[in-house]
Amino acid sequence: MMKIYNYAAGPAKLPDQVINQIQEELPSVHGSGMSILEISHRSALFENILADAQQDLRELMGIPDNYHVLFFQGGGTGQFAAAPLNLATNHRKIALLDSGHWATRAGDEATKLGFSVDTLASTKDNHYQSLPHLDDKQDLSGYDYLHLTMNNTIEGTAYHQPELPSNTELVADMSSNFLAETYNVADFGLIFAGAQKISVRLG
Ligand SMILES: Cc1ncc(COP(=O)(O)O)c(C=O)c1O
């Protein structure tokens, strides 16, 4: 079989060992005689797999004990709605750095749901060739959180360090660089990403 390496932004290349293990274990997960595609999502067998995945993430990312690791349906787009609905309950106001297509989409979704979204800085004028930054003296206590797209998949820019807002939480979209960069999880209130693009940096 010819092997194709996909270096495009988006779906991640998986290590061969992982693909081979999936193939081997697909007919019978953990020797159960059933495929993971066939078992109940409420069974102990599946719950153990989920618990292992949570523990692995905690170790890989150094996730502190006071953070939850949650798995949802709906991908990054679902979180554009879930984040404001669950977290913007105090002021119903969100601050945003407009770094490109996905930041705009997040802001549009929150606006559609009736939240007030303030774009604190934008690099739209230069076609997002650079990143917008926070004015570090700005007090953001009137906002429920700051939304930041850590890796701008389409424009090819990334925050290698988070912009740290004063007096509010940071919500980070890591849809396209989750586990590919090392961040200090404690800097964030919420990190979200979709499984289809998870790329684990090896070595
Ligand atoms: C940075 C970023 N945010 C959000 C999304 C949307 O994520 P999903 O496709 O999981 O809804 C994408 C998808 O490409 C993305 O690259």
PDB file of all heavy atoms in Angstrom, residues 10 74-78 80 102-103 105 149-154 173-176 192-197, ligand 1:
ATOM      1  N   GLY A  10      -5.239  20.671   9.451  1.00  0.00           N
ATOM      2  CA  GLY A  10      -6.495  19.941   9.638  1.00  0.00           C
ATOM      3  C   GLY A  10      -6.224  18.558  10.171  1.00  0.00           C
ATOM      4  O   GLY A  10      -5.422  18.396  11.080  1.00  0.00           O
ATOM      5  N   GLY A  74     -20.042  17.159  18.892  1.00  0.00           N
ATOM      6  CA  GLY A  74     -20.248  18.525  18.374  1.00  0.00           C
ATOM      7  C   GLY A  74     -18.998  19.266  17.975  1.00  0.00           C
ATOM      8  O   GLY A  74     -19.086  20.338  17.389  1.00  0.00           O
ATOM      9  N   GLY A  75     -17.818  18.719  18.301  1.00  0.00           N
ATOM     10  CA  GLY A  75     -16.568  19.315  17.842  1.00  0.00           C
ATOM     11  C   GLY A  75     -16.353  20.746  18.313  1.00  0.00           C
ATOM     12  O   GLY A  75     -17.025  21.231  19.229  1.00  0.00           O
ATOM     13  N   GLY A  76     -15.408  21.401  17.641  1.00  0.00           N
ATOM     14  CA  GLY A  76     -15.085  22.788  17.988  1.00  0.00           C
ATOM     15  C   GLY A  76     -16.286  23.696  17.780  1.00  0.00           C
ATOM     16  O   GLY A  76     -16.565  24.576  18.602  1.00  0.00           O
ATOM     17  N   THR A  77     -17.023  23.457  16.710  1.00  0.00           N
ATOM     18  CA  THR A  77     -18.174  24.305  16.405  1.00  0.00           C
ATOM     19  C   THR A  77     -19.210  24.229  17.531  1.00  0.00           C
ATOM     20  O   THR A  77     -19.804  25.245  17.909  1.00  0.00           O
ATOM     21  CB  THR A  77     -18.810  23.867  15.060  1.00  0.00           C
ATOM     22  OG1 THR A  77     -17.772  23.871  14.075  1.00  0.00           O
ATOM     23  CG2 THR A  77     -19.901  24.808  14.622  1.00  0.00           C
ATOM     24  N   GLY A  78     -19.398  23.032  18.068  1.00  0.00           N
ATOM     25  CA  GLY A  78     -20.325  22.881  19.197  1.00  0.00           C
ATOM     26  C   GLY A  78     -19.880  23.715  20.384  1.00  0.00           C
ATOM     27  O   GLY A  78     -20.701  24.306  21.103  1.00  0.00           O
ATOM     28  N   PHE A  80     -18.317  26.514  20.266  1.00  0.00           N
ATOM     29  CA  PHE A  80     -18.567  27.948  20.035  1.00  0.00           C
ATOM     30  C   PHE A  80     -19.890  28.356  20.690  1.00  0.00           C
ATOM     31  O   PHE A  80     -20.067  29.519  21.074  1.00  0.00           O
ATOM     32  CB  PHE A  80     -18.636  28.255  18.530  1.00  0.00           C
ATOM     33  CG  PHE A  80     -17.331  28.140  17.790  1.00  0.00           C
ATOM     34  CD1 PHE A  80     -17.312  28.129  16.402  1.00  0.00           C
ATOM     35  CD2 PHE A  80     -16.125  28.049  18.467  1.00  0.00           C
ATOM     36  CE1 PHE A  80     -16.116  28.031  15.706  1.00  0.00           C
ATOM     37  CE2 PHE A  80     -14.921  27.940  17.779  1.00  0.00           C
ATOM     38  CZ  PHE A  80     -14.918  27.927  16.395  1.00  0.00           C
ATOM     39  N   TRP A 102     -11.686  31.333  12.251  1.00  0.00           N
ATOM     40  CA  TRP A 102     -12.351  30.576  13.321  1.00  0.00           C
ATOM     41  C   TRP A 102     -12.664  31.444  14.528  1.00  0.00           C
ATOM     42  O   TRP A 102     -13.645  31.177  15.243  1.00  0.00           O
ATOM     43  CB  TRP A 102     -11.531  29.336  13.697  1.00  0.00           C
ATOM     44  CG  TRP A 102     -11.536  28.324  12.596  1.00  0.00           C
ATOM     45  CD1 TRP A 102     -10.493  27.989  11.787  1.00  0.00           C
ATOM     46  CD2 TRP A 102     -12.660  27.557  12.133  1.00  0.00           C
ATOM     47  NE1 TRP A 102     -10.897  27.063  10.856  1.00  0.00           N
ATOM     48  CE2 TRP A 102     -12.208  26.777  11.046  1.00  0.00           C
ATOM     49  CE3 TRP A 102     -13.992  27.459  12.523  1.00  0.00           C
ATOM     50  CZ2 TRP A 102     -13.052  25.903  10.355  1.00  0.00           C
ATOM     51  CZ3 TRP A 102     -14.835  26.584  11.834  1.00  0.00           C
ATOM     52  CH2 TRP A 102     -14.362  25.820  10.774  1.00  0.00           C
ATOM     53  N   ALA A 103     -11.874  32.473  14.753  1.00  0.00           N
ATOM     54  CA  ALA A 103     -12.209  33.423  15.826  1.00  0.00           C
ATOM     55  C   ALA A 103     -13.506  34.156  15.456  1.00  0.00           C
ATOM     56  O   ALA A 103     -14.400  34.327  16.291  1.00  0.00           O
ATOM     57  CB  ALA A 103     -11.058  34.409  16.031  1.00  0.00           C
ATOM     58  N   ARG A 105     -15.848  33.079  13.499  1.00  0.00           N
ATOM     59  CA  ARG A 105     -16.973  32.129  13.593  1.00  0.00           C
ATOM     60  C   ARG A 105     -17.428  31.967  15.046  1.00  0.00           C
ATOM     61  O   ARG A 105     -18.627  31.866  15.324  1.00  0.00           O
ATOM     62  CB  ARG A 105     -16.552  30.767  13.030  1.00  0.00           C
ATOM     63  CG  ARG A 105     -16.451  30.703  11.510  1.00  0.00           C
ATOM     64  CD  ARG A 105     -17.800  30.462  10.843  1.00  0.00           C
ATOM     65  NE  ARG A 105     -18.464  29.264  11.329  1.00  0.00           N
ATOM     66  CZ  ARG A 105     -18.275  28.034  10.829  1.00  0.00           C
ATOM     67  NH1 ARG A 105     -17.477  27.863   9.801  1.00  0.00           N
ATOM     68  NH2 ARG A 105     -18.914  26.989  11.326  1.00  0.00           N
ATOM     69  N   THR A 149      -8.142  31.952  19.695  1.00  0.00           N
ATOM     70  CA  THR A 149      -7.880  30.800  18.809  1.00  0.00           C
ATOM     71  C   THR A 149      -6.371  30.591  18.789  1.00  0.00           C
ATOM     72  O   THR A 149      -5.629  31.406  18.236  1.00  0.00           O
ATOM     73  CB  THR A 149      -8.383  31.092  17.373  1.00  0.00           C
ATOM     74  OG1 THR A 149      -9.713  31.591  17.444  1.00  0.00           O
ATOM     75  CG2 THR A 149      -8.340  29.846  16.513  1.00  0.00           C
ATOM     76  N   MET A 150      -5.907  29.511  19.414  1.00  0.00           N
ATOM     77  CA  MET A 150      -4.460  29.352  19.602  1.00  0.00           C
ATOM     78  C   MET A 150      -3.731  29.093  18.290  1.00  0.00           C
ATOM     79  O   MET A 150      -2.619  29.545  18.091  1.00  0.00           O
ATOM     80  CB  MET A 150      -4.175  28.203  20.586  1.00  0.00           C
ATOM     81  CG  MET A 150      -4.775  28.390  21.960  1.00  0.00           C
ATOM     82  SD  MET A 150      -4.369  29.982  22.721  1.00  0.00           S
ATOM     83  CE  MET A 150      -2.655  29.730  23.129  1.00  0.00           C
ATOM     84  N   ASN A 151      -4.372  28.348  17.400  1.00  0.00           N
ATOM     85  CA  ASN A 151      -3.748  28.076  16.095  1.00  0.00           C
ATOM     86  C   ASN A 151      -4.771  28.421  15.018  1.00  0.00           C
ATOM     87  O   ASN A 151      -5.855  27.840  14.974  1.00  0.00           O
ATOM     88  CB  ASN A 151      -3.366  26.594  16.000  1.00  0.00           C
ATOM     89  CG  ASN A 151      -2.540  26.305  14.760  1.00  0.00           C
ATOM     90  OD1 ASN A 151      -1.435  26.829  14.614  1.00  0.00           O
ATOM     91  ND2 ASN A 151      -3.056  25.487  13.877  1.00  0.00           N
ATOM     92  N   ASN A 152      -4.413  29.361  14.172  1.00  0.00           N
ATOM     93  CA  ASN A 152      -5.336  29.805  13.126  1.00  0.00           C
ATOM     94  C   ASN A 152      -5.116  28.932  11.894  1.00  0.00           C
ATOM     95  O   ASN A 152      -4.252  29.207  11.058  1.00  0.00           O
ATOM     96  CB  ASN A 152      -5.129  31.299  12.874  1.00  0.00           C
ATOM     97  CG  ASN A 152      -5.485  32.092  14.123  1.00  0.00           C
ATOM     98  OD1 ASN A 152      -6.658  32.271  14.420  1.00  0.00           O
ATOM     99  ND2 ASN A 152      -4.485  32.501  14.887  1.00  0.00           N
ATOM    100  N   THR A 153      -5.895  27.883  11.838  1.00  0.00           N
ATOM    101  CA  THR A 153      -5.706  26.796  10.878  1.00  0.00           C
ATOM    102  C   THR A 153      -5.615  27.297   9.439  1.00  0.00           C
ATOM    103  O   THR A 153      -4.781  26.829   8.664  1.00  0.00           O
ATOM    104  CB  THR A 153      -6.909  25.822  10.992  1.00  0.00           C
ATOM    105  OG1 THR A 153      -7.273  25.710  12.361  1.00  0.00           O
ATOM    106  CG2 THR A 153      -6.579  24.466  10.432  1.00  0.00           C
ATOM    107  N   ILE A 154      -6.471  28.233   9.116  1.00  0.00           N
ATOM    108  CA  ILE A 154      -6.553  28.693   7.730  1.00  0.00           C
ATOM    109  C   ILE A 154      -5.449  29.700   7.423  1.00  0.00           C
ATOM    110  O   ILE A 154      -4.796  29.642   6.387  1.00  0.00           O
ATOM    111  CB  ILE A 154      -7.962  29.276   7.464  1.00  0.00           C
ATOM    112  CG1 ILE A 154      -8.987  28.133   7.598  1.00  0.00           C
ATOM    113  CG2 ILE A 154      -8.048  29.961   6.094  1.00  0.00           C
ATOM    114  CD1 ILE A 154     -10.422  28.548   7.516  1.00  0.00           C
ATOM    115  N   ASP A 173      -9.442  27.956  21.919  1.00  0.00           N
ATOM    116  CA  ASP A 173      -9.745  27.004  20.855  1.00  0.00           C
ATOM    117  C   ASP A 173      -8.422  26.404  20.383  1.00  0.00           C
ATOM    118  O   ASP A 173      -7.614  27.072  19.740  1.00  0.00           O
ATOM    119  CB  ASP A 173     -10.449  27.762  19.716  1.00  0.00           C
ATOM    120  CG  ASP A 173     -10.752  26.882  18.517  1.00  0.00           C
ATOM    121  OD1 ASP A 173     -10.358  25.701  18.519  1.00  0.00           O
ATOM    122  OD2 ASP A 173     -11.388  27.396  17.578  1.00  0.00           O
ATOM    123  N   MET A 174      -8.185  25.144  20.748  1.00  0.00           N
ATOM    124  CA  MET A 174      -6.961  24.445  20.306  1.00  0.00           C
ATOM    125  C   MET A 174      -7.304  23.377  19.279  1.00  0.00           C
ATOM    126  O   MET A 174      -6.641  22.337  19.189  1.00  0.00           O
ATOM    127  CB  MET A 174      -6.245  23.806  21.500  1.00  0.00           C
ATOM    128  CG  MET A 174      -5.538  24.789  22.385  1.00  0.00           C
ATOM    129  SD  MET A 174      -4.392  23.962  23.492  1.00  0.00           S
ATOM    130  CE  MET A 174      -4.090  25.278  24.677  1.00  0.00           C
ATOM    131  N   SER A 175      -8.361  23.631  18.508  1.00  0.00           N
ATOM    132  CA  SER A 175      -8.839  22.615  17.553  1.00  0.00           C
ATOM    133  C   SER A 175      -7.728  22.085  16.662  1.00  0.00           C
ATOM    134  O   SER A 175      -7.733  20.914  16.305  1.00  0.00           O
ATOM    135  CB  SER A 175      -9.929  23.195  16.653  1.00  0.00           C
ATOM    136  OG  SER A 175     -11.096  23.412  17.378  1.00  0.00           O
ATOM    137  N   SER A 176      -6.789  22.951  16.269  1.00  0.00           N
ATOM    138  CA  SER A 176      -5.802  22.452  15.307  1.00  0.00           C
ATOM    139  C   SER A 176      -4.372  22.442  15.836  1.00  0.00           C
ATOM    140  O   SER A 176      -3.444  22.237  15.059  1.00  0.00           O
ATOM    141  CB  SER A 176      -5.897  23.226  13.986  1.00  0.00           C
ATOM    142  OG  SER A 176      -5.663  24.593  14.189  1.00  0.00           O
ATOM    143  N   PHE A 192     -10.568  23.733  24.457  1.00  0.00           N
ATOM    144  CA  PHE A 192     -11.344  22.732  23.732  1.00  0.00           C
ATOM    145  C   PHE A 192     -10.674  22.395  22.401  1.00  0.00           C
ATOM    146  O   PHE A 192      -9.918  23.189  21.841  1.00  0.00           O
ATOM    147  CB  PHE A 192     -12.809  23.156  23.547  1.00  0.00           C
ATOM    148  CG  PHE A 192     -13.029  24.357  22.654  1.00  0.00           C
ATOM    149  CD1 PHE A 192     -13.088  24.220  21.277  1.00  0.00           C
ATOM    150  CD2 PHE A 192     -13.215  25.617  23.200  1.00  0.00           C
ATOM    151  CE1 PHE A 192     -13.318  25.317  20.459  1.00  0.00           C
ATOM    152  CE2 PHE A 192     -13.444  26.730  22.396  1.00  0.00           C
ATOM    153  CZ  PHE A 192     -13.492  26.581  21.021  1.00  0.00           C
ATOM    154  N   ALA A 193     -10.986  21.188  21.931  1.00  0.00           N
ATOM    155  CA  ALA A 193     -10.420  20.714  20.663  1.00  0.00           C
ATOM    156  C   ALA A 193     -11.244  19.536  20.184  1.00  0.00           C
ATOM    157  O   ALA A 193     -11.929  18.891  20.980  1.00  0.00           O
ATOM    158  CB  ALA A 193      -8.976  20.276  20.863  1.00  0.00           C
ATOM    159  N   GLY A 194     -11.201  19.259  18.891  1.00  0.00           N
ATOM    160  CA  GLY A 194     -11.949  18.131  18.337  1.00  0.00           C
ATOM    161  C   GLY A 194     -11.022  16.959  18.055  1.00  0.00           C
ATOM    162  O   GLY A 194      -9.886  17.153  17.613  1.00  0.00           O
ATOM    163  N   ALA A 195     -11.520  15.755  18.306  1.00  0.00           N
ATOM    164  CA  ALA A 195     -10.670  14.560  18.182  1.00  0.00           C
ATOM    165  C   ALA A 195     -10.126  14.354  16.774  1.00  0.00           C
ATOM    166  O   ALA A 195      -9.059  13.799  16.597  1.00  0.00           O
ATOM    167  CB  ALA A 195     -11.454  13.330  18.611  1.00  0.00           C
ATOM    168  N   GLN A 196     -10.843  14.829  15.774  1.00  0.00           N
ATOM    169  CA  GLN A 196     -10.413  14.519  14.405  1.00  0.00           C
ATOM    170  C   GLN A 196      -9.095  15.184  14.026  1.00  0.00           C
ATOM    171  O   GLN A 196      -8.457  14.787  13.067  1.00  0.00           O
ATOM    172  CB  GLN A 196     -11.513  14.884  13.393  1.00  0.00           C
ATOM    173  CG  GLN A 196     -11.551  16.355  12.940  1.00  0.00           C
ATOM    174  CD  GLN A 196     -12.194  17.283  13.970  1.00  0.00           C
ATOM    175  OE1 GLN A 196     -12.418  16.887  15.087  1.00  0.00           O
ATOM    176  NE2 GLN A 196     -12.478  18.510  13.590  1.00  0.00           N
ATOM    177  N   LYS A 197      -8.703  16.203  14.809  1.00  0.00           N
ATOM    178  CA  LYS A 197      -7.463  16.869  14.436  1.00  0.00           C
ATOM    179  C   LYS A 197      -6.377  16.726  15.502  1.00  0.00           C
ATOM    180  O   LYS A 197      -5.357  17.379  15.430  1.00  0.00           O
ATOM    181  CB  LYS A 197      -7.733  18.355  14.168  1.00  0.00           C
ATOM    182  CG  LYS A 197      -8.392  18.563  12.815  1.00  0.00           C
ATOM    183  CD  LYS A 197      -8.246  19.984  12.323  1.00  0.00           C
ATOM    184  CE  LYS A 197      -9.235  20.907  12.965  1.00  0.00           C
ATOM    185  NZ  LYS A 197     -10.622  20.627  12.558  1.00  0.00           N
TER     186      LYS A 197
HETATM  187  C1  LIG B   1      -9.166  26.553  14.858  1.00  0.00           C
HETATM  188  C2  LIG B   1     -10.437  25.843  14.556  1.00  0.00           C
HETATM  189  N1  LIG B   1     -11.513  26.060  15.349  1.00  0.00           N
HETATM  190  C3  LIG B   1     -12.682  25.429  15.139  1.00  0.00           C
HETATM  191  C4  LIG B   1     -12.833  24.546  14.105  1.00  0.00           C
HETATM  192  C5  LIG B   1     -14.156  23.840  13.912  1.00  0.00           C
HETATM  193  O1  LIG B   1     -14.014  22.609  14.492  1.00  0.00           O
HETATM  194  P1  LIG B   1     -14.976  21.389  14.142  1.00  0.00           P
HETATM  195  O2  LIG B   1     -14.706  21.037  12.716  1.00  0.00           O
HETATM  196  O3  LIG B   1     -14.545  20.341  15.139  1.00  0.00           O
HETATM  197  O4  LIG B   1     -16.383  21.849  14.374  1.00  0.00           O
HETATM  198  C6  LIG B   1     -11.761  24.256  13.263  1.00  0.00           C
HETATM  199  C7  LIG B   1     -11.915  23.311  12.159  1.00  0.00           C
HETATM  200  O5  LIG B   1     -11.147  23.204  11.239  1.00  0.00           O
HETATM  201  C8  LIG B   1     -10.531  24.933  13.485  1.00  0.00           C
HETATM  202  O6  LIG B   1      -9.476  24.689  12.707  1.00  0.00           O
END
